[in-house]
Amino acid sequence: MSTGLSDRLKQTRFVSPAQESMLNVMVTSSWFLTEMSSVMAQFGITPAQYNVLRILRGSHPTALTCSEIKSRLIDRTPDVTRLLGRLEKQDLTTRQRAKYDRRVVEVRIQKKGLNLLDEMDSIVEEATARLTENLSGEEHSHLSTLLDRLRQPH
């Protein structure tokens, strides 16, 4: 079974190599997200929730504001409040008003959230390795460099 972009999109010609590569990035991103979603669903969370928990683990024990979390998210969802509410409902995080400014909400990861990430770490790493095994370490580094270049200011 071929997994090439042309076969996937049932399209043999593209307007330009740039169009083909951008479509390839989007198709690959969607595929990877779908695969990782199924891995994370086993733990009752979404990739967006996993991303928030990873961000909060990185700052632990220091709290982060909602705007700090939003600025670090991979997928810049506009509804961070709802995302944080779902995590709080599962007792994975806590939110509270900042003492220095009652308008600011600070978020911390709970012990249950840290334990969940500890439980998930090896399984997420195994899934990542399985999904990316067709590239060498050097190819991964080269791909990352190219993708970083794409996001550079014009």
Side-chain angles (χ1 to χ4, degrees):
M1 178 175 105
S2 178
T3 58
L5 183 65
S6 292
D7 290 337
R8 169 80 169 75
L9 298 181
K10 309 289 188 256
Q11 180 177 342
T12 56
R13 293 194 334 236
F14 298 92
V15 171
S16 66
Q19 181 195 50
E20 183 177 8
S21 68
M22 289 304 95
L23 288 170
N24 220 330
V25 167
M26 290 188 282
V27 166
T28 303
S29 174
S30 176
W31 166 76
F32 196 79
L33 186 59
T34 298
E35 293 293 320
M36 293 308 285
S37 292
S38 68
V39 170
M40 292 172 191
Q42 301 169 54
F43 297 94
I45 64 171
T46 66
Q49 292 169 330
Y50 176 77
N51 189 19
V52 170
L53 292 174
R54 277 187 344 92
I55 291 165
L56 291 171
R57 176 172 62 181
S59 72
H60 182 70
T62 304
L64 293 177
T65 66
C66 292
S67 61
E68 288 172 320
I69 293 168
K70 185 174 183 171
S71 72
R72 296 180 188 191
L73 287 174
I74 293 170
D75 180 17
R76 304 294 168 113
T77 179
D79 203 355
V80 173
T81 303
R82 184 174 292 156
L83 183 60
L84 294 171
R86 287 189 201 116
L87 290 170
E88 189 173 34
K89 196 172 188 176
Q90 295 179 64
D91 295 322
L92 300 173
T93 63
T94 58
R95 292 182 288 181
Q96 66 182 42
R97 297 275 174 197
K99 291 183 173 94
Y100 64 88
D101 185 341
R102 302 291 298 159
R103 297 170 296 179
V104 175
V105 175
E106 295 180 323
V107 184
R108 284 186 171 78
I109 192 167
Q110 293 285 80
K111 181 73 173 153
K112 185 176 175 183
L114 291 169
N115 291 342
L116 177 63
L117 287 178
D118 287 346
E119 185 182 348
M120 291 179 72
D121 282 342
S122 63
I123 293 165
V124 169
E125 183 54 37
E126 286 170 16
T128 301
R130 176 179 50 81
L131 294 170
T132 63
E133 68 186 358
N134 290 334
L135 297 181
S136 69
E138 185 177 317
E139 288 169 323
H140 281 294
S141 295
H142 186 62
L143 177 60
S144 289
T145 299
L146 293 173
L147 293 171
D148 285 342
R149 281 179 47 199
L150 277 176
R151 292 188 311 275
Q152 293 301 308
H154 302 283

